[in-house]
Amino acid sequence: MKVAHYEKIEAAGVEFEGAVGCRMRCLIDQADGAAHFSMRLFEVASGGHTPKHRHAHEHEVFVLEGIGSVLEDDREHPLRAGTCVFVPSDQLHQFRNTGVGPLKFLCMIPHPVSDPGDQCATTCGCG
Amino acid sequence: MKVAHYEKIEAAGVEFEGAVGCRMRCLIDQADGAAHFSMRLFEVASGGHTPKHRHAHEHEVFVLEGIGSVLEDDREHPLRAGTCVFVPSDQLHQFRNTGVGPLKFLCMIPHPVSDPGDQCATTCGCG
């Protein structure tokens, strides 16, 4: 069993092209014995955003803190603490911080990811 | 894409034997198109607990609110908002609310669950 507060887990900058002001912590991944999916915590600075992109794997997201939006093609949905988001496979999407404080959310992805060139998964080192 | 605040998703009592004061919301599951794993939000009342049990599927948990503990065999680990827990396959475990307010946590499980008699998954209707 792994029990850890997220603040004790190192955060790394997200260098993926199109990401602005994003950091990520891998909370639970294959190294912990998780065979099916990984849990990551993203922190997006005020004015920042994740890349506008699509990929074969789905996302399951839960907003922990802050104010933002998620883009679904050209439509924006508001986000606040307690909002959950399911991003289906191949859906164009982007998460944006529209508030003044950090936007923090959990983002779970299945693994292994079928496309070895899938930067969204490989950048985090836990895909 | 599904975007919903968890408070808009109906909570149901957890009738699983050994559960006390537990309610659950299925935030993201197969009905939403989630092919690999489900996101559920549990709320445990003060003094309540989930069953002390083990099963073949793993759990990935993130504590949102409250104070509690998770049992790993006969060892207790403290929980507070921001704590993540990985419960491996076949690990004896139980979540307890040791505080005065509700204990709320996300609990993700893979699906389909291989054991059709696995109450932990079938009780929630999203396993």
Side-chain angles (χ1 to χ4, degrees):
Chain A
M1 182 178 287
K2 175 181 182 176
V3 183
H5 195 277
Y6 82 86
E7 291 174 340
K8 301 289 188 188
I9 295 172
E10 191 180 5
V14 176
E15 306 301 333
F16 187 93
E17 186 179 346
V20 173
C22 298
R23 297 194 311 157
M24 199 206 61
R25 302 171 204 254
C26 275
L27 304 189
I28 299 172
D29 63 10
Q30 286 162 308
D32 300 306
H36 297 96
F37 56 100
S38 297
M39 180 190 290
R40 301 96 50 84
L41 191 153
F42 284 80
E43 183 171 336
V44 182
S46 180
H49 54 76
T50 65
K52 188 189 294 185
H53 66 165
R54 68 177 85 230
H55 40 64
H57 65 271
E58 74 271 31
H59 285 313
E60 297 191 17
V61 166
F62 190 92
V63 179
L64 301 170
E65 181 182 324
I67 297 289
S69 65
V70 58
L71 197 70
E72 177 188 19
D73 294 323
D74 55 0
R75 182 180 172 198
E76 275 197 315
H77 302 275
L79 301 176
R80 62 186 173 98
T83 305
C84 62
V85 182
F86 176 63
V87 182
S89 174
D90 297 319
Q91 171 69 58
L92 184 68
H93 62 281
Q94 180 181 46
F95 291 88
R96 297 174 179 164
N97 184 340
T98 60
V100 293
L103 174 69
K104 297 183 184 181
F105 58 88
L106 297 176
C107 177
M108 274 65 71
I109 57 168
H111 57 231
V113 171
S114 53
D115 177 2
D118 185 339
Q119 278 190 290
C120 177
T122 55
T123 297
C124 76
C126 62
Chain B
M1 183 179 286
K2 175 181 183 176
V3 183
H5 196 277
Y6 82 86
E7 292 174 340
K8 302 290 189 187
I9 296 172
E10 191 180 3
V14 175
E15 306 302 333
F16 188 92
E17 187 180 345
V20 172
C22 298
R23 298 195 309 158
M24 199 207 59
R25 302 171 204 255
C26 274
L27 304 189
I28 299 171
D29 64 10
Q30 284 162 309
D32 300 307
H36 297 97
F37 56 100
S38 297
M39 180 190 291
R40 302 95 50 85
L41 190 153
F42 284 81
E43 183 171 336
V44 182
S46 180
H49 54 77
T50 65
K52 187 188 294 186
H53 66 166
R54 69 177 86 229
H55 40 63
H57 65 270
E58 73 271 31
H59 285 312
E60 297 191 17
V61 166
F62 190 92
V63 179
L64 301 171
E65 182 182 323
I67 298 289
S69 65
V70 58
L71 197 71
E72 176 189 17
D73 295 323
D74 55 0
R75 181 179 173 198
E76 275 197 315
H77 302 275
L79 301 176
R80 63 187 173 97
T83 305
C84 62
V85 182
F86 176 64
V87 182
S89 174
D90 296 319
Q91 171 69 58
L92 184 68
H93 63 281
Q94 180 182 47
F95 291 88
R96 298 174 180 165
N97 184 341
T98 59
V100 292
L103 174 68
K104 297 182 183 180
F105 58 87
L106 297 176
C107 177
M108 275 65 71
I109 57 168
H111 58 230
V113 171
S114 53
D115 178 2
D118 185 340
Q119 279 190 290
C120 177
T122 56
T123 298
C124 76
C126 62

